[in-house]
Amino acid sequence: MNLTIAEFKKIVSKKYVWVLTLLLVLFYAYLILNIGDNFSVVYSKRALQPVFQEIMDAAYDPQVQEYVIKNEFNVTFDELKPVISPKIAQTIEQYQGKIYKGYDVPKELKDEAALRIESLVERNVTINGMIKELESKPDTPLNRYLLQQYTHMPKMEPNLTRWDDWIDINHSMLPLLIAFVVILGVASVYTGEYTSKMHGILLTTKNGRSKLFWSKLLASCLFAAIVVIIFQSLAALLYMHVYGLPFKNTPMNSLTSFYKMPNTMWALEFYLRQLAGSLLGAIVLTAVTLCISSLCRSNLVSFFISGIYFGLGALYSLSLEGQYITSKVTIFADVSTFSLMSLTDVLGNAKVFIIGSHAIPTIRLTLITQAVIFAAALLLTYVFYNRKEITA
Amino acid sequence: MQLRTQNLTKNFGNRCAVDHVNLNFERGVYGLLGPNGAGKTTLMRMMVGILPPSSGKVTLDGVTIGELGAKYRDILGYMPQEVGYYRDFTAKRFLQYLSALKGLDPKYANRRIDELLDLVGLADGKNKKLGQFSGGMIRRIGIAQALLNDPRILILDEPTAGLDPNERIHFRNILSELSEERIVILSTHIVSDVQSIAGQVILLKEGKVVNCDTTENLRHMVEGKVWLATVTHGELNELKKRFPIGNVLQKDDHFEIRIASDSKPLQNATAVEPSLEDVFIYVFGGQAE
Ligand SMILES: Nc1ncnc2c1ncn2[C@@H]1O[C@H](COP(=O)(O)OP(=O)(O)OP(=O)(O)O)[C@@H](O)[C@H]1O
Ligand SMILES: [Mg+2]
């Protein structure tokens, strides 16, 4: 019998783990599908797809920009019509009220298009303004960083690709669900041995100390990885069903929630990093939960303390407003395991931490902190498990 | 092979559970005899390396067991007083799991498991979940798991507690069949467990070793100090206050009792050949089972 497999079976043979996981899966599916039923959320995004390119071109036209700014971002499509190229206007009018790739293109396409053009112009103006402002500001590490980022910003694109929905997958709900299931499965890995009184026997066997420790770690990480895969695939399938696949890569900066952030990354790259963060975070959480488990005497206590460890970081991180500076206070949220699992705040907002004359991307601190926590958790687990006096 | 405890001591707060115990084990069966709370379990836990001593050490051929680490555990078999188990494991799977922990080759392990389940009389229940086992069956599984790696040092904490008389005899036979080339230490407060099989008996009282000798010599120790007397109910109550009394046998309205006393306790008392049980009563001053 392979020890790692045996340990893995111990984790997954607990019925409550699977029952609760199933309930959470259903709950999550219900939640996402319900948003999808609220069709207007999806509607406006799909509706503009046929004129995607035209809107973008219009927004980059200096003449259009000037007109929109002059009218304080409050113009109708008909007012814009003389300024934009006839070809753009023609295309937009051509699709209005028709069926395109299976969607009803609404009658209000014109108004929608005008709104989009305005918002894109606004973004361009905002960022150009920021660059100008930064150039005249004193040369601090933060200003240098922001100037560097904003001048290297990819070209704006209309936000039609569904990436803003996909980026949102890992914002809050999914990391919480994954963490819950991981903690549920792993919290009893050591306490289970204590409560079943196996601890004494295990510690007197040849492989019951270090080899068993590694087997338990490996089995728990395997469990965590499977949980991450299950929930990420489920989320991807649901989002595919509700919003459709993102059809084109787009700069993060074109997405509504990030458009003022000094982020030069592209959405696909960010999403893939979120997946990696989800896995790494789950593994750090596994190590921390193992450590707590090795220290506690009951499954429930171990579960709650692990939950508090993750929950505090999550709560704090989610309470932060979108900002790109990590302060001495918010750093605790930014380097938390939750932040690694979500990445939305830390990496999406391209946060930096200012130390002396350096602006350090906060994500580096998050990764370093989590690596240290991981190593420390392993070390402590080993010590606690082996040193725990058997007196009961 | 020489297993030694040197000034082995364990304090819980200011309570001394094991007090400067010096023992020497060479091959053979040792019975660790003492009443509840004498420190048997605490001593054994330190000897198997799962409870750090407050002071003193346990050595095997001069090397502390901590230094030996896995090498020591490889030749160790241990059955705790309260045998741990997983409720949803079958007997066979449980033993397979422990074989893996003991680093046994799976093929050999499977053969050994069948052998041991047979030995402890659980061959029929090997595919039954341990959660459905009775207390006595769990103890037998506990004995089987300790024997899996054919240990040269076997430490059993009250292995016969909860076994029915047949199983108890069966267990004694198992122990005496084990080859000579090993150290077997078993704790008990049941005299008859050690009487027949233990070459050496260690008497433990309040954490201290009172005596460590062969059954024969221990009996000699109390020779002339054990008395048989027939008394009335009133006399019995009176005597109980003054002497350790063992083996009360009611005969009509009289009681035949054994009294442990340095001098003749009663006019009609007659000195008798002491048994190991009398030693227990003499040393621990209470009723033996
Ligand atoms: N964890 C502990 N904390 C405090 N005191 C303890 C602890 N474990 C044991 N003791 C005390 O140490 C003494 C020896 O206990 P131990 O369990 O070793 O006795 P024992 O001889 O095995 O008894 P029994 O026959 O009941 O199993 C007892 O007085 C007990 O109360
Ligand atoms: Mg005991």
Side-chain angles (χ1 to χ4, degrees):
Chain A
M1 189 186 285
N2 180 300
L3 274 184
T4 306
I5 294 173
E7 292 304 323
F8 181 73
K9 278 190 186 161
K10 272 196 216 165
I11 298 174
V12 298
S13 67
K14 286 184 221 97
K15 283 201 195 78
Y16 62 82
V17 173
W18 291 117
V19 170
L20 275 163
T21 306
L22 191 70
L23 285 179
L24 290 181
V25 162
L26 292 175
F27 163 73
Y28 185 67
Y30 175 80
L31 213 72
I32 303 303
L33 291 174
N34 255 12
I35 295 173
D37 283 346
N38 183 359
F39 195 62
S40 67
V41 178
V42 191
Y43 196 58
S44 66
K45 290 175 189 174
R46 289 181 177 168
L48 289 171
Q49 200 184 329
V51 289
F52 179 85
Q53 192 61 43
E54 284 70 21
I55 288 173
M56 197 175 79
D57 292 346
Y60 273 95
D61 185 334
Q63 240 188 309
V64 176
Q65 287 184 355
E66 200 185 322
Y67 186 79
V68 171
I69 295 167
K70 203 174 74 193
N71 289 286
E72 293 177 329
F73 301 98
N74 192 9
V75 286
T76 64
F77 187 76
D78 290 329
E79 284 166 351
L80 269 175
K81 210 170 156 185
V83 208
I84 57 182
S85 82
K87 193 174 155 268
I88 300 174
Q90 217 177 359
T91 318
I92 289 174
E93 278 173 341
Q94 176 194 332
Y95 281 105
Q96 193 157 261
K98 302 258 171 57
I99 289 180
Y100 176 81
K101 288 192 181 171
Y103 308 127
D104 284 333
V105 178
K107 288 265 190 309
E108 309 80 39
L109 183 63
K110 280 203 295 193
D111 304 335
E112 195 70 44
L115 274 175
R116 292 286 167 165
I117 291 171
E118 278 169 39
S119 78
L120 271 174
V121 171
E122 203 229 322
R123 288 178 196 184
N124 290 349
V125 170
T126 309
I127 284 183
N128 286 338
M130 279 195 275
I131 292 174
K132 279 223 184 68
E133 206 182 316
L134 283 166
E135 278 167 341
S136 62
K137 271 188 178 173
D139 180 40
T140 65
L142 178 64
N143 290 343
R144 222 179 308 135
Y145 166 74
L146 292 177
L147 191 60
Q148 158 83 15
Q149 293 293 101
Y150 281 121
T151 44
H152 287 84
M153 206 70 83
K155 208 175 160 199
M156 291 280 189
E157 286 182 15
N159 170 22
L160 305 173
T161 58
R162 292 154 210 168
W163 268 120
D164 44 1
D165 299 309
W166 278 71
I167 290 304
D168 213 37
I169 292 179
N170 282 293
H171 176 234
S172 54
M173 180 62 86
L174 204 64
L176 290 175
L177 294 183
I178 291 173
F180 184 86
V181 177
V182 166
I183 293 175
L184 198 64
V186 178
S188 60
V189 165
Y190 284 103
T191 51
E193 307 295 2
Y194 304 149
T195 53
S196 67
K197 313 243 168 189
M198 277 299 288
H199 190 202
I201 294 179
L202 297 180
L203 285 181
T204 56
T205 61
K206 184 180 164 197
N207 296 331
R209 290 184 182 225
S210 62
K211 208 166 167 196
L212 186 65
F213 163 81
W214 289 111
S215 296
K216 280 184 181 298
L217 176 68
L218 219 64
S220 306
C221 288
L222 185 66
F223 172 75
I226 290 173
V227 172
V228 168
I229 290 170
I230 289 176
F231 275 95
Q232 292 291 357
S233 328
L234 172 77
L237 283 173
L238 286 169
Y239 273 69
M240 208 154 80
H241 176 71
V242 174
Y243 300 100
L245 275 174
F247 49 83
K248 186 172 181 291
N249 201 357
T250 192
M252 283 289 285
N253 194 252
S254 299
L255 307 180
T256 331
S257 7
F258 301 106
Y259 87 108
K260 278 184 185 166
M261 294 301 161
N263 191 340
T264 53
M265 211 180 288
W266 286 66
L268 178 63
E269 184 190 356
F270 180 67
Y271 177 66
L272 293 178
R273 284 188 195 202
Q274 278 185 315
L275 293 183
S278 184
L279 183 65
L280 289 180
I283 282 172
V284 176
L285 181 63
T286 299
V288 172
T289 307
L290 281 176
C291 178
I292 291 167
S293 179
S294 73
L295 193 61
C296 293
R297 283 197 183 273
S298 98
N299 297 354
L300 218 58
V301 172
S302 156
F303 174 79
F304 278 116
I305 296 179
S306 308
I308 288 169
Y309 163 80
F310 187 79
L312 283 183
L315 222 62
Y316 191 11
S317 175
L318 286 170
S319 73
L320 299 180
E321 303 273 314
Q323 51 195 6
Y324 47 71
I325 300 171
T326 293
S327 72
K328 286 194 183 77
V329 183
T330 63
I331 190 159
F332 294 104
D334 292 334
V335 299
S336 70
T337 306
F338 172 82
S339 284
L340 177 59
M341 278 179 83
S342 163
L343 287 187
T344 312
D345 189 41
V346 171
L347 195 60
N349 294 335
K351 278 192 161 178
V352 280
F353 186 65
I354 311 294
I355 303 176
S357 59
H358 297 280
I360 299 166
T362 308
I363 181 68
R364 283 193 206 158
L365 300 183
T366 312
L367 286 170
I368 293 170
T369 309
Q370 291 301 310
V372 170
I373 289 178
F374 179 74
L378 292 198
L379 191 73
L380 289 176
T381 308
Y382 188 80
V383 172
F384 290 146
Y385 167 64
N386 279 292
R387 288 275 172 83
K388 190 153 197 162
E389 293 202 357
I390 317 255
T391 54
Chain B
M1 195 167 54
Q2 193 184 46
L3 186 64
R4 291 185 67 181
T5 69
Q6 291 170 38
N7 285 319
L8 201 58
T9 302
K10 183 73 193 181
N11 301 311
F12 292 111
N14 50 17
R15 189 186 165 83
C16 194
V18 172
D19 193 359
H20 293 86
V21 167
N22 289 291
L23 287 167
N24 229 327
F25 301 91
E26 277 162 31
R27 63 191 159 75
V29 179
Y30 294 79
L32 189 56
L33 199 57
N36 291 135
K40 304 182 293 292
T41 299
T42 307
L43 176 62
M44 286 186 150
R45 281 175 177 158
M46 290 191 283
M47 290 185 69
V48 297
I50 57 173
L51 185 68
S54 302
S55 65
K57 56 184 178 178
V58 182
T59 59
L60 180 68
D61 295 331
V63 188
T64 64
I65 57 169
E67 274 171 76
L68 287 170
K71 268 191 231 147
Y72 177 64
R73 298 196 301 275
D74 195 22
I75 58 165
L76 180 68
Y78 169 58
M79 173 191 178
Q81 182 165 358
E82 203 173 337
V83 177
Y85 62 98
Y86 305 118
R87 299 187 62 82
D88 55 347
F89 273 43
T90 63
K92 182 163 182 181
R93 205 161 107 73
F94 182 68
L95 292 178
Q96 280 173 333
Y97 176 66
L98 276 151
S99 308
L101 282 169
K102 294 185 181 216
L104 304 184
D105 167 65
K107 258 199 205 128
Y108 166 78
N110 279 334
R111 236 185 309 129
R112 179 89 182 136
I113 288 165
D114 286 337
E115 219 173 87
L116 285 171
L117 282 172
D118 226 22
L119 187 72
V120 298
L122 288 173
D124 293 338
K126 75 174 180 183
N127 291 319
K128 239 170 91 174
K129 291 211 167 148
L130 294 179
Q132 304 166 2
F133 272 30
S134 72
M137 287 157 98
I138 290 294
R139 298 206 70 75
R140 276 137 73 189
I141 284 290
I143 294 166
Q145 66 77 25
L147 290 171
L148 271 172
N149 53 334
D150 199 16
R152 293 174 65 206
I153 298 170
L154 185 58
I155 297 183
L156 308 168
D157 198 353
E158 304 208 12
T160 57
L163 296 188
D164 62 38
N166 273 335
E167 276 307 322
R168 206 170 271 191
I169 293 164
H170 182 59
F171 169 74
R172 277 181 224 154
N173 292 340
I174 293 175
L175 273 199
S176 42
E177 272 168 33
L178 290 172
S179 87
E180 297 202 319
E181 274 307 308
R182 69 182 98 214
I183 296 169
V184 181
I185 307 168
L186 60 129
S187 78
T188 182
H189 42 80
I190 303 167
V191 177
S192 57
D193 278 348
V194 290
Q195 190 145 14
S196 51
I197 44 166
Q200 299 262 320
V201 176
I202 300 154
L203 299 176
L204 200 64
K205 186 179 180 179
E206 286 159 16
K208 291 193 184 73
V209 176
V210 178
N211 216 325
C212 170
D213 217 326
T214 61
T215 334
E216 205 50 36
N217 289 342
L218 286 174
R219 286 220 308 264
H220 283 316
M221 186 179 86
V222 293
E223 211 151 83
K225 294 171 180 174
V226 181
W227 313 83
L228 193 71
T230 309
V231 295
T232 63
H233 188 71
E235 283 173 319
L236 176 61
N237 283 340
E238 194 54 38
L239 283 167
K240 265 186 183 164
K241 288 178 197 147
R242 291 165 52 208
F243 302 106
I245 308 286
N247 220 10
V248 179
L249 210 68
Q250 189 161 10
K251 283 187 170 168
D252 301 326
D253 55 344
H254 289 287
F255 296 91
E256 197 178 273
I257 57 170
R258 286 170 94 91
I259 308 168
S261 166
D262 288 340
S263 57
K264 195 170 185 175
L266 276 177
Q267 212 49 42
N268 70 351
T270 50
V272 287
E273 178 79 7
S275 68
L276 191 57
E277 198 162 318
D278 297 321
V279 176
F280 191 98
I281 292 158
Y282 183 81
V283 172
F284 302 117
Q287 184 105 27
E289 277 182 44

